[in-house]
Amino acid sequence: MFSAPGKAFVAGGYLVLDPKYKAFVIALSSRMYAHAHVENGTGEHIEVRVKSPQFAEGEWCYKIDLSRPDRAEEIHGRGNPFVKSTIDVVLLYLAPKQTKRITVTIFSDPEYHSQKDSTPKTSKNGLKTLYFHSQPIHKVAKTGLGSSAGLVACLTTALLSCFSENFDVKSETTLNRIHNLAQVAHCHAQGKIGSGFDVAAATFGSIVYRRFDPQLVNRVIESWKNEDLVQLVDNTDWKIEHTKCCLPPGIKLLMGDIVGGSETPKLVSKVLEWRKKEPERSLETWTHLNSSNMRLVESLEKLQDLSKSQPETYKLSLRSLVEGNKSGFSDVVSSIQGIRRYLKIMTLESGAEIEPDQQTELLDYCMSLNGVLGGVVPGAGGYDAVCLLVAEEAIRDVVERTKDLSVTWLNLHEQETGIREEDVSSFIGFL
Ligand SMILES: Nc1ncnc2c1ncn2[C@@H]1O[C@H](COP(=O)(O)OP(=O)(O)O)[C@@H](O)[C@H]1O
Ligand SMILES: C[C@@](O)(CCOP(=O)(O)OP(=O)(O)O)CC(=O)O
């Protein structure tokens, strides 16, 4: 069984669409899981059954002709574009010659979806609780952790593992192969090429990310040939960057779900329109925003170093932070203020509600609390979520002081690892 983490896109939304800029994405403890069971098949077909038992009608069964391995047919006429595209891309890449019967079972941790109309169930060993929804997957509201990227990343991994003797997700080559295939599958399913930050975080974990050239993926989707896909996945420099970066000790991420929701594509098109109409002003804003984003990354790295070189000094700074003295963390605080200042300018000038007034009020209040380094609207912003960086010891107090506001803190934290192998014992009773 393999799993991939959800994401909180802390800094670099919009800018990351352009490979000139980098973004900072934090991987989360809420994960998506894929368990594969493989048997020898008969006849001229591969059968891939994907089950997602937490959702109504959550089963898709594909028959794949060995002579046309990239064109899976769902036998009940049910659709799941992300499942289908992943199967198509992985089989186009592998071009298998032997029949197999594969069953992949998908699970997702509770924080990915709204828990409305759902029932919790706990595994036999009592360690894992999952929510079972009465609606099909496409009708269940999402919280924004990146469910399709998680699904594509762990399904790609599970499928590859069925065709490989010594499959090891700790190998860099394997991880890069998973990433490249998952990016192609995700773009193909979406019908557009995004920046890919969500697939990269699902694969590599908490990272500073620079995107790939969309033409690389476009060309392969258009040609749809095994040799072009193999060349792209195994022998092409994508020029992406995925440098590990995580929060320093004692500092935690709090993700808050907001009642409401925003449509990312609409926000993106407004921002890109503004960029076209006001090239100078928008470039100036993006340049300042980018320096604040990169200052945040650098200051987190510095704190990480300080916590190792001068652990006592660092501990004292953390203690003071909980008591309201933020001076040991002033670079983080001011870079987050900078990020918010330029996101607000983008909001006002582009008309895209990236940090709407309701979120400004909530974030200003949170920033005034002891132990809070700052907070931002993650990703594309809007009415989806907020995220805060908080001293671990102050979390309880922050939750208490925000309990009457329109925000629900999700039960998750940073977990910097990307794809990893899982022990199935926590899933006994679900499988
Ligand atoms: N647990 C799951 N089981 C099966 N399919 C899933 C699951 N989670 C996500 N998906 C697929 O991903 C789609 C949601 O993708 P998308 O709208 O891009 O949301 P997100 O922003 O969370 O990635 C679902 O409609 C479904 O096709
Ligand atoms: C605007 C963006 O840079 C970031 C959007 O980030 P979100 O985390 O808001 O994305 P969704 O979960 O798909 O809504 C677009 C992109 O990078 O593709």
Side-chain angles (χ1 to χ4, degrees):
M1 180 179 240
F2 300 96
S3 72
K7 52 79 185 161
F9 191 175
V10 175
Y14 303 99
L15 273 66
V16 73
L17 291 163
D18 183 338
K20 260 208 314 249
Y21 305 100
K22 295 190 279 192
F24 174 40
V25 198
I26 288 186
L28 303 173
S29 51
S30 291
R31 304 180 75 93
M32 191 81 88
Y33 307 82
H35 173 268
H37 174 76
V38 60
E39 291 167 38
N40 288 331
T42 48
E44 294 297 301
H45 289 97
I46 292 181
E47 186 185 290
V48 183
R49 194 177 287 272
V50 176
K51 296 184 185 176
S52 189
Q54 290 166 265
F55 298 91
E57 297 161 32
E59 186 168 329
W60 303 269
C61 183
Y62 298 86
K63 260 199 160 157
I64 300 119
D65 196 323
L66 283 179
S67 62
R68 285 306 311 271
D70 57 311
R71 295 281 181 236
E73 294 278 343
E74 210 285 322
I75 61 172
H76 309 293
R78 277 190 197 154
N80 186 326
F82 291 94
V83 167
K84 175 163 174 18
S85 174
T86 306
I87 297 173
D88 280 346
V89 169
V90 171
L91 293 187
L92 177 66
Y93 170 78
L94 292 169
K97 296 284 172 283
Q98 278 177 348
T99 70
K100 279 185 199 296
R101 292 181 65 191
I102 296 170
T103 304
V104 180
T105 312
I106 304 289
F107 297 107
S108 58
D109 277 333
E111 296 74 23
Y112 276 93
H113 293 98
S114 151
Q115 286 160 14
K116 205 169 151 258
D117 300 327
S118 71
T119 315
K121 284 189 195 155
T122 301
S123 63
K124 284 254 157 69
N125 70 359
L127 290 180
K128 187 124 215 100
T129 297
L130 299 177
Y131 280 75
F132 288 75
H133 302 261
S134 61
Q135 295 286 327
I137 176 75
H138 59 274
K139 292 207 175 137
V140 178
K142 298 162 285 185
T143 55
L145 303 195
S147 65
S148 59
L151 169 85
V152 169
C154 68
L155 181 56
T156 300
T157 311
L159 291 174
L160 284 177
S161 76
C162 296
F163 292 89
S164 164
E165 292 276 302
N166 304 310
F167 190 75
D168 176 12
V169 281
K170 292 208 190 91
S171 131
E172 206 184 309
T173 314
T174 305
L175 212 52
N176 281 326
R177 180 171 300 140
I178 293 168
H179 168 265
N180 295 356
L181 285 166
Q183 289 286 15
V184 177
H186 199 255
C187 291
H188 182 53
Q190 284 191 131
K192 70 176 172 61
I193 319 263
S195 69
F197 76 90
D198 44 0
V199 173
T203 314
F204 298 116
S206 295
I207 45 172
V208 174
Y209 174 72
R210 188 196 298 283
R211 74 162 306 162
F212 51 89
D213 173 359
Q215 275 313 316
L216 288 177
V217 173
N218 253 337
R219 272 198 289 269
V220 164
I221 289 178
E222 273 167 25
S223 96
W224 204 250
K225 286 203 181 101
N226 162 269
E227 53 279 21
D228 292 342
L229 181 59
V230 170
Q231 177 68 20
L232 174 70
V233 170
D234 292 334
N235 300 311
T236 303
D237 179 3
W238 285 44
K239 299 202 173 79
I240 67 167
E241 195 175 314
H242 54 89
T243 315
K244 283 202 166 301
C245 179
C246 55
L247 297 177
I251 301 297
K252 297 284 168 193
L253 176 91
L254 256 187
M255 275 285 276
D257 193 23
I258 303 292
V259 184
S262 294
E263 286 178 59
T264 302
K266 283 195 184 148
L267 293 170
V268 171
S269 69
K270 275 195 181 159
V271 169
L272 296 182
E273 233 170 72
W274 168 68
R275 240 198 134 192
K276 245 194 194 159
K277 234 174 66 196
E278 301 285 348
E280 276 173 31
R281 177 70 180 147
S282 61
L283 177 64
E284 188 192 321
T285 312
W286 280 35
T287 306
H288 288 304
L289 179 55
N290 184 53
S291 342
S292 302
N293 290 340
M294 292 304 103
R295 223 152 46 76
L296 172 63
V297 169
E298 278 157 29
S299 52
L300 291 173
E301 278 164 354
K302 268 195 201 143
L303 288 169
Q304 190 75 257
D305 292 344
L306 182 73
S307 72
K308 287 181 193 140
S309 63
Q310 296 179 51
E312 289 311 317
T313 316
Y314 182 74
K315 258 191 212 151
L316 283 177
S317 300
L318 263 181
R319 183 98 293 282
S320 311
L321 174 64
V322 177
E323 284 155 9
N325 173 359
K326 306 188 182 182
S327 59
F329 295 83
S330 55
D331 284 350
V332 176
V333 173
S334 69
S335 53
I336 294 178
Q337 279 164 340
I339 292 171
R340 288 194 53 207
R341 180 172 335 120
Y342 293 106
L343 283 181
K344 195 72 187 178
I345 292 176
M346 267 168 79
T347 306
L348 296 173
E349 299 196 9
S350 71
E353 290 192 293
I354 302 167
E355 195 195 284
D357 290 342
Q358 179 195 314
Q359 307 282 63
T360 303
E361 222 174 273
L362 175 62
L363 288 172
D364 283 347
Y365 174 69
C366 291
M367 276 173 110
S368 73
L369 300 174
N370 287 357
V372 178
L373 293 177
V376 291
V377 285
Y383 297 92
D384 285 339
V386 289
C387 63
L388 306 181
L389 299 186
V390 189
E392 187 169 10
E393 283 179 44
I395 291 181
R396 250 218 255 153
D397 202 40
V398 170
V399 172
E400 177 59 28
R401 284 170 193 272
T402 49
K403 70 177 190 309
D404 296 328
L405 306 180
S406 57
V407 56
T408 312
W409 301 111
L410 299 179
N411 181 21
L412 45 72
H413 52 268
E414 178 183 36
Q415 197 176 72
E416 56 182 296
T417 346
I419 288 191
R420 69 179 189 200
E421 194 154 1
E422 294 283 340
D423 181 357
V424 290
S425 60
S426 294
F427 290 82
I428 296 173
F430 295 139
L431 269 165

